[in-house]
Amino acid sequence: MARVVITPASLDYDPTEVAIPWAVLRRAGHEVVIATASGVRPEPDLLMLRGEGLDPWSCVPGLSKLAVVGRILGADANARRAHAELEADRAFLHPIRFADLDPSSIDALVLPGGHRARGIRPYLEDPMLHAFVAAMFDAQKPVGAICHGVVVAARATSPRTGRSVLHGLRTTSLTWAQERLATRIACVTRFWDPTYYRTYVEEPGEPAGHRSVQAEVTRALADPADYRDVPRDDPHYARKTSGRVRDTADDDTPAFVVRDGAYVSARWPGDAHTFARTLDLLLSRGVRDVRSGSEAEPTAPMNAR
């Protein structure tokens, strides 16, 4: 059994990206601990958890609970059930602090995401978390990052090399196509808060997408080609890129997960089950025993169960 730490933002973390990995890894027999910046119980992005507030009629009395867009973009039933279980877990109720994390006592790390700027910016910019991430990479321990969590890894600098810990690795993250589509939808369905899905917004004179997750992560890599997205010839390309289908415990065809050695990355909540199973595979079999291909297609962890 491995000891895994999940590090949600103190405020506005994505509920799926925390609860699904927590549930999958717990069921696999691993000990899962939670860590936050201050050691205080974290609070999720309630819009994502409940799916309410993402439709244009959300502010109309009596209609706030009628979720249409919210049921597509927010947490699905699997994630809501897992999150309800998570909220009763002692490790979640009493997190440890980022400053108290010791790489020698942790076997693996999960970096979840979230996008709402008020809560996610402090998380992405936390120097204590960056230092711990760098220590985990330098110790060659399994690290998983999903969605905006990949930005945390991109910003973590290895004291050994002076570069991002992702320099020389292949990765995915929330793509600019996904971020741009969600923002366009928000301009209509959440018109009073059109940048809800953008953690950072471009400054005057900057090209569109310059401050997107994909752009920042790509700038940290040794080669822009190391950034990976779903290839056009993937037999499940439509399911992986539509934004309307999420993976489940029994169906990984909508997911896209990239593995490079002990590092695992994924794009968005719709990849969360496959992302967590890939980490479990690394922990259960060991990095060297997992097949050597750097890009772990979603079928690998399903077939390995």
Side-chain angles (χ1 to χ4, degrees), residues 1-20:
M1 178 180 71
R3 190 167 189 248
V4 183
V5 62
I6 300 178
T7 60
S10 297
L11 177 67
D12 291 329
Y13 67 82
D14 185 273
T16 303
E17 294 169 3
V18 174
I20 292 298

Side-chain angles (χ1 to χ4, degrees), residues 114-117 120-121 124 148 179 195 197-201:
H115 54 264
R116 203 169 190 181
I120 298 304
R121 281 192 182 188
L124 300 182
H148 283 65
E179 196 170 347
T195 60
Y197 290 103
R198 295 298 310 276
T199 308
Y200 297 95
V201 179

Side-chain angles (χ1 to χ4, degrees), residues 61-201:
L63 296 180
S64 62
K65 293 187 179 298
L66 179 59
V68 176
V69 173
R71 281 291 171 255
I72 298 173
L73 298 180
D76 64 11
N78 291 322
R80 292 194 300 274
R81 282 193 297 268
H83 197 273
E85 295 176 10
L86 171 68
E87 288 182 307
D89 183 62
R90 178 173 176 77
F92 177 80
L93 296 173
H94 303 283
I96 59 178
R97 298 186 310 153
F98 290 162
D100 295 330
L101 289 170
D102 179 1
S104 67
S105 66
I106 300 294
D107 299 305
L109 166 65
V110 175
L111 296 168
H115 54 264
R116 203 169 190 181
R118 65 177 190 180
I120 298 304
R121 281 192 182 188
Y123 168 67
L124 300 182
E125 298 165 3
D126 193 293
M128 287 291 184
L129 182 56
H130 294 166
F132 177 68
V133 172
M136 291 292 287
F137 270 91
D138 278 355
Q140 298 183 331
K141 294 189 174 183
V143 175
I146 182 170
C147 198
H148 283 65
V150 183
V151 173
V152 179
R155 292 180 176 182
T157 301
S158 168
R160 181 174 51 83
T161 66
R163 293 171 170 168
S164 168
V165 296
L166 296 187
H167 191 89
L169 294 176
R170 282 164 279 199
T171 189
T172 191
S173 71
L174 181 73
T175 68
W176 171 229
Q178 290 173 313
E179 196 170 347
R180 179 176 53 197
L181 176 60
T183 301
R184 287 174 176 171
I185 292 172
C187 286
V188 176
T189 64
R190 195 172 167 82
F191 54 85
W192 62 94
D193 185 18
T195 60
Y196 165 68
Y197 290 103
R198 295 298 310 276
T199 308
Y200 297 95
V201 179

